[in-house]
Structures are given as structure tokens and as C-alpha cells.
């Protein structure tokens, strides 16, 4: 197992399409719910403990070898907003391309053939971690970290927020990311024996509602 | 067995000239350049000039709207199913250079849905003088500047002006009104570009896109040779 491979996969510059998505931050900025570093931190914390945890559990389970089709159906069932399902599959397709080019693997080839328009991104993330020789814990970390770093980067662009303040938010969330990653792996291990039904179904209604409104805006900076 | 093999074959990665089914993919030409220099107008003119002889499609990279795609739809230069807009998250140069996955998917989806295609034009969102396309996304790139943006732009150079396969100096009809010296722009461009071609064009004149359309035809001939 290579530690450096984790850095490659977790790098915000990994070319898998994430730069065009705000993780709901653009809608929250427009609604006045994110206005500064403190409200960005609250937003990221909420995302981390709701949809973030669900995604991390799915990614960790995929990294442990749980059937991608079963995990994809479970992710669908836990994503009420059609706009978010579209975004998750689009990002999954982009990650599939980048991961296959970076870490060629029969499992990634199989998921590309099974889901030509993309599986849910966390499913692909887990398989990418597997292909890179990484662990379920690594997959959970990648998922949780990009779930908070995406909105933080987007808010720097949307509000002109001081980038040092935005990075400070990520640093203050580090302990919570650690705990959530460990819990995600424990859950993923139960999925191996008990099936995808034991995955958590936490959600943040405002993220879902905001995503639907955002998808209908005629003018926006981010795809979601 | 054969079908299974087909499905397991690696998907076309970036610059591969063949699609997964073995057929030759469309030639991809990128058009970049500063905001307002006439990229979309050039794309529209190229579509009108070439659509009878080539099967073509367009991908636009708008910065925060679907304005460019909608302009092309409104002008009816191509049927709507041949025009796709990619969203770029406030960074148009990222989508054409550093992380090209969304654009590659748009190109491949167009080939799947309306293909076979001879040519895909990928239009960048208006950006700065350093914005260039990845070779993983396009086979050739055109950089579009205009006389009203200042006649010192060719002298300033930069990756777009200096290295694009074709440089278009657009809106030459405006030169007398904005005090731009066309001869100087042409000489400066020649100095930074060497043998790479430069076209001075005005789309206001009849058949104004002819030289650029001829350049595209040469590229197509070379691609399919």
C-alpha cells in the first residue's frame, strides 16, 4: 500500500470534474445561509455529518469489495433530489475515466461497462481506492474531505472569502473528519456481512431542496 | 465472446484517434480567446459554411450561463441535438486544460447520439491570454482576438497568441474606429508565431469566414487521410 497514492486520489487537482461543483454551497450562498467563514464552517459541518457520512460509508463499502450495483441502488435510495442524483452520476462517470487512466483495473472496467453514464461517485471512489491499493479508511477519508473542501473552495470563488479563512475551516473540521472516517469503516464492515440495508440514511433537507432550486437557475457558476 | 470483449475494452482515453468500436472519431478543434473577441460568432459562421459538407457538432463552455449555446440555438446554425453546453465552475481554463473530463464526455456523447461526426468544435468560455486547450481534448486549436481589444495583444504574446495552430484577428472592420493598426498586428503576430498561420477577418463582410473554413477543411483532409 502506498501513502503517496492516497495523496494522488485526495488531491483537489485530480482531474475528475469536481472543480465545477460547489456541493450545495452556491445555493446556500444565494439563500444567505453562507456569508462568512463561520457560516461556511456550519454548512460544512452539517454536510459532513449528513450526506457526507452516507457517501463515506458507501465509498468504504465499495473499497471493501461490496457489489457496486447494490451500493449504487442504496445511494440512489438515499438521494431524494433528482438533481443530486444526476450530479452524483456525472461525477461518478468523470471519476471512472480518470481512475481507469490512472490505476487500470478490471473492477473499474466492469463498473464502466455496467454504468456507461456513471455510477454514484462514492461507489466509484471506493473502487478507485481499491485499484490504487488503498484501504476502506482511505476511501472514507477521501470522500469526507472532498465533501467539505469542495464547498470551501467554491465559497472562496463565490464570496471572495479570504482563502486562509476557508482553509482554517477545513483544519478545524479535521478531528470530526477523523471520527466520521472511522465510523464509516465500521459501518462498511457491517455492510459486508449484513448488506447495504445497514447503511445510514441521514440527509440534509436544505441541501436537497437547494439542489433542486439551483438546477433550475438560468445563471450560475457551478454545475451543482 | 466478441461482444464481451468489446465491453471490456478500455474506453477511448482522451486523445485516442479511434473510438472503442474501432471507428475513427471526429476531428476536434478548440476555439479560445478573450471575452467578446468573437469566438461564438466564428463558430456560428463556421457551422453555416461547413454544415452542408460535414457532419458537425459544437460543445460550448459558458462561464456562468448557457448564453453561448443559446445564441447558437437561436441562430439555428445547427439542430439543437448537435449543440451541448458544459458548465465550468467559474474556471473555464480548467475545463479545457487541467480537468477535461466533462468536455470529453460531452464530445463522446455527441458522437454516440448524433454521430457519426466529422468535426466537433469545442468553444472555450471567454478567458485570458494564457488559456489553451489540452492536447487530450482537441487535435488543433484556434485563438481568437479582436482589433478592439488593443493592437498590442499580438506583441504581448502569451501561450494562446504564440502557440495556437491558427490565430484569428477578428473585427478588422472596426480597426479605423478604434485606432488599431492592422499591419502592425500582423507583423507582431508573425514575430511571435513564426510560420504558424494568422487570419485577419471581418464576419461583417460577405463570406468573411472563408479563410478559416478553408483552414478547417485542410485539417479535416489531413485527419481523414
Amino acid at each position: 500500500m502506498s501513502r503517496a497514492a492516497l495523496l494522488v486520489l485526495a488531491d483537489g487537482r485530480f482531474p475528475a470534474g469536481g472543480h465545477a461543483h460547489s456541493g450545495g454551497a452556491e445555493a446556500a450562498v444565494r439563500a444567505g445561509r453562507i456569508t462568512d467563514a463561520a457560516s461556511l464552517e456550519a454548512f460544512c459541518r452539517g454536510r459532513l455529518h449528513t450526506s457526507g457520512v452516507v457517501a463515506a460509508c458507501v465509498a468504504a463499502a465499495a473499497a471493501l469489495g461490496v457489489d457496486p450495483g447494490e451500493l449504487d441502488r442504496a445511494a440512489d435510495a438515499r438521494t431524494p433530489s433528482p438533481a443530486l442524483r444526476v450530479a452524483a452520476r456525472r461525477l461518478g462517470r468523470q471519476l471512472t475515466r480518470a481512475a481507469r487512466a490512472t490505476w487500470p483495473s478490471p473492477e473499474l472496467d466492469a463498473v464502466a461497462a455496467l454504468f456507461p453514464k456513471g455510477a454514484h461517485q462514492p461507489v466509484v471512489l471506493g473502487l478507485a481506492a481499491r485499484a490504487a491499493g488503498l484501504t476502506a479508511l482511505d476511501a472514507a477519508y477521501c470522500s469526507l474531505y472532498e465533501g467539505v473542501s469542495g464547498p470551501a473552495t467554491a465559497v472562496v470563488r463565490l464570496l471572495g472569502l479570504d482563502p486562509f479563512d476557508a482553509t482554517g475551516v477545513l483544519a478545524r473540521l479535521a478531528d470530526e473528519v477523523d471520527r466520521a472516517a472511522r465510523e464509516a469503516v465500521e459501518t462498511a464492515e457491517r455492510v459486508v456481512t449484513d448488506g447495504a440495508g445497514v447503511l445510514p440514511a441521514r440527509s440534509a433537507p436544505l441541501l436537497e431542496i437547494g439542489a433542486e432550486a439551483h438546477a433550475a437557475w438560468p445563471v450560475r457558476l457551478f454545475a451543482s | 465472446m466478441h461482444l464481451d470483449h468489446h465491453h471490456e475494452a478500455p474506453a477511448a482515453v482522451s486523445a485516442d484517434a479511434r473510438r472503442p468500436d474501432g471507428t475513427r472519431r471526429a476531428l476536434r478543434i478548440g476555439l479560445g480567446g478573450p471575452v467578446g473577441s468573437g469566438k461564438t460568432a466564428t463558430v456560428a459562421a463556421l457551422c453555416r459554411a461547413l454544415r452542408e459538407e460535414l457532419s458537425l457538432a459544437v460543445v460550448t463552455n459558458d462561464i456562468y450561463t448557457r448564453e453561448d449555446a443559446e445564441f447558437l440555438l437561436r441562430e439555428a446554425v445547427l439542430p439543437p441535438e448537435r449543440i451541448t453546453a458544459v458548465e465550468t465552475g467559474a474556471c473555464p481554463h480548467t475545463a479545457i486544460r487541467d480537468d477535461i473530463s466533462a468536455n470529453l464526455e460531452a464530445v463522446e456523447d455527441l458522437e454516440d447520439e448524433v454521430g457519426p461526426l466529422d468535426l466537433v468544435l469545442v468553444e472555450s468560455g471567454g478567458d485570458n491570454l494564457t488559456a489553451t486547450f489540452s492536447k487530450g481534448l482537441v487535435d488543433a486549436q484556434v485563438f481568437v482576438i479582436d482589433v478592439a481589444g488593443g493592437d498590442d495583444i499580438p506583441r504581448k504574446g502569451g501561450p494562446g497568441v504564440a502557440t495556437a495552430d491558427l490565430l484569428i484577428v477578428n473585427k478588422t472592420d472596426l480597426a479605423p474606429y478604434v485606432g488599431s493598426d492592422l499591419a502592425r498586428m500582423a507583423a507582431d503576430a508573425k514575430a511571435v508565431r513564426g510560420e504558424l498561420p494568422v487570419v485577419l477577418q471581418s464576419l461583417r463582410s460577405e463570406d468573411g469566414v472563408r479563410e478559416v473554413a478553408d483552414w478547417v477543411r485542410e485539417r479535416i483532409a489531413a485527419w481523414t487521410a
Side-chain angles (χ1 to χ4, degrees):
Chain A
M1 188 184 68
S2 160
R3 285 291 91 186
L6 174 59
L7 299 180
V8 175
L9 183 59
D11 191 337
R13 288 164 296 188
F14 191 75
H19 71 93
H21 295 259
S22 78
E26 187 168 28
V29 165
R30 171 81 68 92
R33 289 192 288 274
I34 300 177
T35 56
D36 55 13
S39 45
L40 170 65
E41 184 169 336
F43 176 88
C44 288
R45 180 170 287 112
R47 198 168 192 276
L48 177 70
H49 292 291
T50 53
S51 57
V53 163
V54 177
C57 291
V58 170
L64 289 175
V66 175
D67 173 49
E70 182 185 1
L71 289 173
D72 188 78
R73 284 190 296 279
D76 243 355
R78 285 159 178 75
T79 313
S81 154
L84 285 183
R85 290 201 294 270
V86 167
R89 290 188 182 284
R90 188 172 292 159
L91 285 168
R93 183 179 175 193
Q94 290 175 254
L95 179 57
T96 303
R97 175 193 298 276
R100 289 176 80 196
T102 311
W103 297 288
S105 109
E107 289 181 345
L108 286 168
D109 292 349
V111 85
L114 192 60
F115 297 98
K117 298 293 179 188
H120 274 261
Q121 193 267 3
V123 178
V124 183
L125 182 59
L127 291 171
R130 225 170 129 78
L134 296 168
T135 65
L137 183 63
D138 296 327
Y141 264 111
C142 284
S143 180
L144 290 163
Y145 182 68
E146 76 185 7
V148 292
S149 64
T153 308
V155 169
V156 169
R157 296 186 203 163
L158 289 163
L159 283 181
L161 187 70
D162 184 331
F164 301 121
D165 289 343
T167 305
V169 166
L170 297 177
R172 284 195 293 281
L173 289 169
D175 288 343
E176 287 173 65
V177 170
D178 284 337
R179 279 197 298 278
R182 285 194 296 271
E183 287 167 17
V185 173
E186 287 165 17
T187 303
E189 283 164 351
R190 288 212 310 282
V191 173
V192 173
T193 49
D194 301 340
V198 302
L199 285 167
R202 299 182 210 168
S203 77
L206 275 177
L207 278 181
E208 305 281 338
I209 294 165
E212 286 303 304
H214 182 268
W217 294 359
V219 175
R220 58 182 183 236
L221 278 179
F222 291 89
S224 78
Chain B
M1 189 62 199
H2 184 75
L3 273 177
D4 284 344
H5 178 75
H6 164 74
H7 277 291
E8 286 167 14
V13 175
S14 308
D16 291 354
R18 299 272 163 192
R19 311 189 66 223
D21 65 5
T23 57
R24 187 198 305 271
R25 66 164 169 79
L27 178 72
R28 306 178 197 144
I29 295 181
L31 290 98
V35 176
S37 61
K39 293 178 296 299
T40 310
T42 301
V43 166
L46 280 174
C47 289
R48 290 193 195 96
L50 299 170
R51 64 191 174 194
E52 302 301 325
E53 59 195 276
L54 297 173
S55 173
L56 55 100
V58 175
V59 177
T60 64
N61 282 258
D62 285 316
I63 303 174
Y64 50 81
T65 67
R66 292 177 45 84
E67 197 112 331
D68 290 341
E70 278 162 13
F71 174 83
L72 296 172
L73 291 169
R74 205 165 50 239
E75 295 285 303
V77 295
L78 288 177
E81 66 274 16
R82 287 175 178 262
I83 301 170
T84 297
V86 168
E87 290 176 295
T88 58
C91 280
H93 49 273
T94 304
I96 62 166
R97 187 184 56 206
D98 309 280
D99 183 350
I100 56 177
S101 50
N103 269 295
L104 284 173
E105 259 143 42
V107 169
E108 289 168 6
D109 284 351
L110 282 166
E111 293 209 77
D112 286 344
E113 285 154 25
V114 300
L117 295 171
D118 301 309
L119 173 65
V120 179
L121 299 174
V122 182
E123 182 191 341
S124 162
D127 209 321
N128 60 51
L129 296 174
T130 67
T132 50
F133 285 84
S134 164
K135 290 184 170 69
L137 176 60
V138 300
D139 305 296
Q141 51 192 306
V142 179
F143 203 72
V144 185
I145 60 173
D146 71 292
V147 301
D151 61 6
D152 53 351
I153 288 182
R155 184 172 49 75
K156 288 179 179 167
V161 166
T163 66
D165 298 289
L166 176 68
L167 177 69
I168 298 178
V169 180
N170 198 23
K171 308 187 192 177
T172 52
D173 52 307
L174 293 182
Y177 307 108
V178 296
S180 284
D181 181 342
L182 288 178
R184 180 183 149 196
M185 291 185 88
D188 288 346
K190 169 86 183 156
V192 295
R193 291 175 54 76
E195 295 306 306
L196 289 168
V198 180
V199 169
L200 283 75
Q201 81 175 12
S202 164
L203 296 174
R204 297 264 164 174
S205 63
E206 195 179 334
D207 206 15
V209 82
R210 186 179 51 80
E211 269 188 273
V212 175
D214 284 345
W215 179 85
V216 171
R217 289 186 185 97
E218 284 169 26
R219 286 279 163 172
I220 290 277
W223 178 248
T224 51

